[in-house]
Amino acid sequence: MEWDEASQFPSEIIPKLAEMGFLGVIFPEEYGGAGMGYLEYAIIIEELSRVDGSVGIIVAAHNSLCTNHIFKVGTEEQKRKYVVPLAQGKKLGCWSLTEPEAGSDAGGTCTLAVKKDGGWVINGAKTFTTNGHHADVCVAMAVTDIEKKHHGISAFIIEKGTPGFRPGKKESKLGMRASDTSEVVFTDCRVPAENLLGRDGEGFINSLQILDGGRISIASLGLGMAQGAYECSVRYAKQRKQFGKTISEFQAIQFKLADMATQIDAARLLTYRAAWLADRAIAAGDNDARITRESSMAKLYAGEVAVRVANEAVQIHGGYGFTKEYPAEKFYRDVKLCTIGEGTSEIQRLVIARQLLGKQ
């Protein structure tokens, strides 16, 4: 709550997260990672978020977006140079796709990268970048060929301290206030040719693949916060007395708790299924396997459930749910991000529908 009230990034626990292997969960030990899979990763994000979603999303953005993008499509040299320190937690990562005029329509990217003197010069700005002020390594998308639209967007690795690259405005948010969400700005930012990530023009396509894993983490984020909101509701219901008995003895409260628990379990099964499928694809060595439908379903349902459960948690707490004396109000504020970040609920429904109808 202190971090939340002050919008303070929890820098002091980053080394501890690294020590526990949480900043390299899904990466092999040979690249500095913990050598675990997506199922373990989902559980870790869930458990962290059960207490504080801000910590959960710091770990999620670092793992499944920034580090994973480099791990999935980077050269061996890029993996050794960047994935190893990121997975070890010696460096923190961020991933920049969204722009002021390119949100759900990420293909509307305007940040421009132009070839010059054997490298690239980037100009533009990104918004809503998790870890933006604190990251040592940024993966950012920029247009390299305006004529090719989606197929003219490339990904770049930019290191903190690169001339022309800086964090911009830090957002003051409804929830997740201990998580740093900010702009990153490029002003004649010179990036060496070897920092092009993946093939020229395939940054957007690769981003869609990376988001498959990212949506598992956001589903886990929502799942964990829903579990935390449910647990604080059960505790309160067993303690709070009205009309001579605890409110947990009233059927109206019992039905709320029953619905909350059932929806959380359904969200957990969807999330774990997506994580299991991701693990199975990795075990089979199928780097091109897509779990788009399953990860989108998990993200959509878990995010919506988190909002419903947190809403009921406040209701069960009554007037105290509207105060900062109990955690229900913080869960209520934090969970809303899960229906917005990494693709809104509306975009998830579009993605799912396209998969169901065979439209890519």
Side-chain angles (χ1 to χ4, degrees):
M1 285 302 296
E2 290 176 7
W3 294 335
D4 180 78
E5 288 287 298
S7 290
Q8 177 187 335
F9 187 83
S11 300
E12 63 267 36
I13 67 166
I14 300 300
K16 183 64 175 178
L17 292 168
E19 180 186 330
M20 297 175 76
F22 292 174
L23 297 181
V25 184
I26 53 177
F27 307 107
E29 292 180 14
E30 64 177 298
Y31 291 104
M36 299 187 204
Y38 272 89
L39 192 54
E40 291 91 345
Y41 174 55
I43 292 169
I44 287 167
I45 298 298
E46 178 187 347
E47 287 296 294
L48 291 171
S49 305
R50 186 175 154 206
V51 179
D52 190 355
S54 288
V55 176
I57 201 169
I58 290 167
V59 174
H62 170 88
N63 270 278
S64 58
L65 296 181
C66 175
T67 311
N68 199 37
H69 198 148
I70 302 172
F71 178 72
K72 288 283 189 184
V73 303
T75 63
E76 185 61 26
E77 184 181 354
Q78 287 172 336
K79 291 179 188 177
R80 293 294 172 188
K81 184 176 180 180
Y82 297 109
V83 173
V84 172
L86 285 165
Q88 290 174 337
K90 293 178 179 177
K91 292 186 177 181
L92 192 65
C94 69
W95 194 77
S96 293
L97 175 64
T98 304
E99 296 184 4
E101 300 300 324
S104 293
D105 178 20
T109 296
C110 293
T111 296
L112 190 64
V114 178
K115 278 186 178 179
K116 189 173 183 180
D117 299 330
W120 298 86
V121 177
I122 305 176
N123 281 284
K126 298 289 183 177
T127 191
F128 299 147
T129 299
T130 302
N131 302 338
H133 272 81
H134 298 269
D136 302 289
V137 177
C138 174
V139 171
M141 273 31 81
V143 176
T144 50
D145 190 331
I146 297 173
E147 300 298 321
K148 292 183 179 179
K149 298 183 179 179
H150 290 75
H151 295 281
I153 298 173
S154 303
F156 295 89
I157 303 170
I158 304 99
E159 297 181 47
K160 185 177 185 177
T162 300
F165 171 61
R166 63 177 177 84
K169 173 191 172 187
K170 179 181 176 181
E171 302 293 344
S172 179
K173 299 173 295 180
L174 169 72
M176 299 284 199
R177 292 174 60 81
S179 161
D180 168 38
T181 304
S182 65
E183 292 180 323
V184 292
V185 180
F186 304 93
T187 307
D188 291 331
C189 176
R190 294 182 177 274
V191 177
E194 61 267 24
N195 280 36
L196 174 69
L197 179 57
R199 294 179 181 175
D200 186 2
E202 294 189 1
F204 181 75
I205 304 303
N206 293 151
S207 293
L208 296 181
Q209 296 168 338
I210 297 304
L211 284 170
D212 279 353
R215 285 167 181 159
I216 293 173
S217 65
I218 298 298
S220 305
L221 186 75
L223 173 60
M225 289 190 287
Q227 184 68 35
Y230 165 76
E231 288 172 356
C232 76
S233 299
V234 171
R235 286 195 301 270
Y236 183 81
K238 287 181 176 180
Q239 296 167 359
R240 174 68 166 169
K241 288 187 176 181
Q242 290 289 280
F243 305 103
K245 54 185 176 181
T246 61
I247 64 171
S248 63
E249 296 180 63
F250 292 105
Q251 191 178 68
I253 301 298
Q254 292 173 354
F255 279 12
K256 286 183 185 296
L257 294 172
D259 286 344
M260 292 160 77
T262 301
Q263 291 172 34
I264 290 168
D265 261 12
R268 181 172 287 111
L269 290 169
L270 279 172
T271 303
Y272 287 7
R273 178 186 69 164
W276 175 76
L277 286 170
D279 283 339
R280 193 169 73 161
I282 293 169
D286 187 356
N287 293 325
D288 295 320
R290 298 296 298 272
I291 52 166
T292 304
R293 187 187 72 168
E294 293 82 3
S295 64
S296 290
M297 284 181 170
K299 195 271 184 189
L300 168 65
Y301 190 72
E304 296 287 334
V305 161
V307 170
R308 289 199 294 271
V309 167
N311 182 62
E312 290 287 45
V314 172
Q315 194 69 18
I316 288 169
H317 282 73
Y320 287 110
F322 206 66
T323 73
K324 294 184 181 293
E325 186 176 346
Y326 290 86
E329 70 86 29
K330 183 178 182 300
F331 282 120
Y332 184 78
R333 289 184 290 106
D334 286 349
V335 295
K336 188 55 190 169
L337 179 70
C338 296
T339 66
I340 300 171
E342 294 196 34
T344 63
S345 290
E346 291 75 20
I347 289 294
Q348 301 312 311
R349 290 184 173 96
L350 284 174
V351 170
I352 294 164
R354 286 172 182 167
Q355 293 292 313
L356 295 176
L357 297 171
K359 298 178 181 179
Q360 300 301 319

